[in-house]
Amino acid sequence: MVLIISSMLTRSQIGFYLEDIETPIGRTVNLTLTGLILLSSASFIAETYPISESVRINFQTLDTVLLIVFAVEYLLRLWCAENRVKFIFSFFSIIDLLAILPFLLGFVNVSFIRIFRWFRILRLIRFLELKISIFRISSEDGVIFARILFTLLAIIFVYSGLIYQVEHPANAENFGTFLDAVYFSVVTMTTVGFGDVTPISESGRFLTILMILTGIALIPWQLGDLIKQLVKSANHVEAVCKGCGWSVHDANAKYCKMCGTQLDNG
């Protein structure tokens, strides 16, 4: 498949479309990949509920197909990378590799390797700018808020999946479905702590500690960026520049800080 795609497009074109969100082709490629990630995550959740064996087999087949697609995407990105060593050890590439690890190690009979499938939702970080573009979030504080919301949802989803994976075999009464794990994660992250659902395995407790520490480390840091932006925005006014269209300027600005055109402050 990689050879067929590469014969139709040049290396630079493929690399461009895998990152681009402005052109129709680039936007279509990235929207498709985003949709496949969400579809994969939805199938994982569905498998935690009581379903017939035939439906479960269909989900497993879908998961295999999606893994192949993601593996091809990873190989294409690796092939297009100018510095492949740097690419392999980059943040996004490590996430991509974790997402396809069950496929690459499928020949090894290690059941716990399927735990890595929950990291696939983190691949959406790569397409965060695309989602911001789709929902037409243009202000800086809106972008920061969107990142905070996505970070919170990603933490809850990933840790809920991991905790479900390790707790369900030993504590199926409290962690019967993915929703039970989400309930526990939300209650824990919000420090409500009802105590009606608690992990009993060492792995589950360890993941709970990691979830809390991750939330403490990431959320306040991004909230700090939002507060700084709100303070900064308080000293700005909206004045659209006729030259370049930039709309945010200092309250006493007479000229556009981007292109130097005189502003009409009315």
Side-chain angles (χ1 to χ4, degrees):
M1 184 180 295
V2 175
L3 293 176
I4 294 174
I5 296 174
S6 61
S7 64
M8 296 174 60
L9 296 170
T10 65
R11 175 181 168 184
S12 60
Q13 285 178 317
I14 295 175
F16 172 78
Y17 288 131
L18 285 173
E19 301 293 340
D20 173 64
I21 61 172
E22 300 296 334
T23 65
I25 295 178
R27 186 180 289 268
T28 300
V29 169
N30 285 282
L31 274 174
T32 300
L33 291 173
T34 301
L36 292 178
I37 295 170
L38 293 174
L39 178 61
S40 174
S41 302
S43 71
F44 293 162
I45 296 172
E47 287 182 39
T48 68
Y49 289 85
I51 54 178
S52 64
E53 188 62 27
S54 60
V55 175
R56 189 173 299 277
I57 291 175
N58 290 334
F59 277 129
Q60 292 173 351
T61 302
L62 174 64
D63 186 39
T64 301
V65 172
L66 292 176
L67 275 170
I68 293 174
V69 172
F70 294 144
V72 170
E73 180 205 356
Y74 178 84
L75 293 175
L76 283 173
R77 290 185 184 276
L78 177 62
W79 178 63
C80 295
E82 295 182 3
N83 187 332
R84 291 174 182 172
V85 175
K86 182 179 179 180
F87 169 83
I88 292 173
F89 292 101
S90 66
F91 174 73
F92 287 128
S93 297
I94 292 174
I95 292 177
D96 289 346
L97 189 59
L98 286 175
I100 64 174
L101 204 57
F103 174 73
L104 298 178
L105 300 181
F107 58 89
V108 181
N109 187 19
V110 183
S111 57
F112 75 86
I113 206 68
R114 288 181 63 82
I115 201 170
F116 289 109
R117 67 186 188 172
W118 298 100
F119 287 100
R120 204 174 296 172
I121 195 69
L122 293 179
R123 298 183 72 250
L124 288 177
I125 297 175
R126 186 194 295 276
F127 308 106
L128 185 58
E129 290 185 6
L130 176 65
K131 296 193 289 295
I132 290 174
S133 174
I134 291 174
F135 291 104
R136 301 184 183 280
I137 303 175
S138 57
S139 63
E140 187 66 24
D141 50 344
V143 171
I144 295 175
F145 181 76
R147 288 172 180 164
I148 293 174
L149 183 61
F150 176 80
T151 300
L152 183 60
L153 293 177
I155 291 174
I156 292 174
F157 180 90
V158 172
Y159 278 105
S160 296
L162 296 178
I163 292 173
Y164 169 82
Q165 200 78 29
V166 300
E167 278 294 311
H168 180 71
N171 191 11
E173 181 178 353
N174 287 327
F175 291 88
T177 65
F178 178 76
L179 183 59
D180 294 331
V182 170
Y183 167 77
F184 166 75
S185 297
V186 172
V187 168
T188 302
M189 287 284 290
T190 56
T191 69
V192 175
F194 290 129
D196 53 338
V197 178
T198 56
I200 61 175
S201 68
E202 291 187 0
S203 299
R205 291 173 178 173
F206 177 70
L207 286 171
T208 302
I209 294 173
L210 285 182
M211 177 177 64
I212 295 172
L213 293 178
T214 302
I216 292 175
L218 295 181
I219 300 302
W221 170 55
Q222 294 191 358
L223 281 174
D225 289 341
L226 179 60
I227 293 173
K228 290 178 183 177
Q229 180 59 35
L230 290 175
V231 172
K232 183 179 178 181
S233 299
N235 298 321
H236 289 163
V237 295
E238 183 173 350
V240 180
C241 172
K242 297 179 180 179
C244 65
W246 188 262
S247 60
V248 180
H249 296 89
D250 294 336
N252 59 350
K254 296 182 179 180
Y255 298 93
C256 176
K257 61 182 179 181
M258 300 300 291
C259 68
T261 302
Q262 186 173 359
L263 298 174
D264 182 10
N265 294 323

